[in-house]
Amino acid sequence: MTKGDALVYCGPSVRGVAKQYTVFSGGLPREVEEFREKHPLINDLIVPVENFSEMRKKIETPGTRESLVYRNIKSEIL
């Protein structure tokens, strides 16, 4: 990923950080970067826009790594 790539945050919505499926271009905002420091697994759920549909399918498929990461992050933020 380069700084100019458009990225999609596919993790669960986090108040004050990002809503699920938010697209960022020109890098990630400070709030997302800080959240990534505390929850490094979230890196698996931030993907280039061209990988969005594949990622969404993986998140919605029980048992995939992406689904497990999503559920783990969601349980940590509740």
Side-chain angles (χ1 to χ4, degrees):
M1 286 183 271
T2 64
K3 190 164 179 92
D5 290 342
L7 301 172
V8 182
Y9 169 71
C10 299
S13 295
V14 180
R15 186 173 300 200
V17 176
K19 289 186 177 186
Q20 185 178 33
Y21 304 134
T22 299
V23 177
F24 300 103
S25 59
L28 298 171
R30 179 182 50 80
E31 295 84 5
V32 176
E33 292 290 359
E34 290 172 358
F35 188 75
R36 285 171 51 168
E37 289 177 20
K38 294 176 185 169
H39 306 276
L41 283 177
I42 208 70
N43 289 314
D44 293 346
L45 303 178
I46 300 173
V47 298
V49 170
E50 56 269 13
N51 297 4
F52 169 68
S53 63
E54 179 182 344
M55 175 58 78
R56 186 169 179 176
K57 287 177 191 172
K58 288 179 180 180
I59 288 171
E60 294 172 357
T61 304
T64 63
R65 173 170 169 50
E66 294 80 3
S67 175
L68 295 172
V69 168
Y70 180 93
R71 290 175 59 206
N72 184 285
I73 294 296
K74 191 169 184 172
S75 70
E76 287 180 15
I77 62 173
L78 291 178

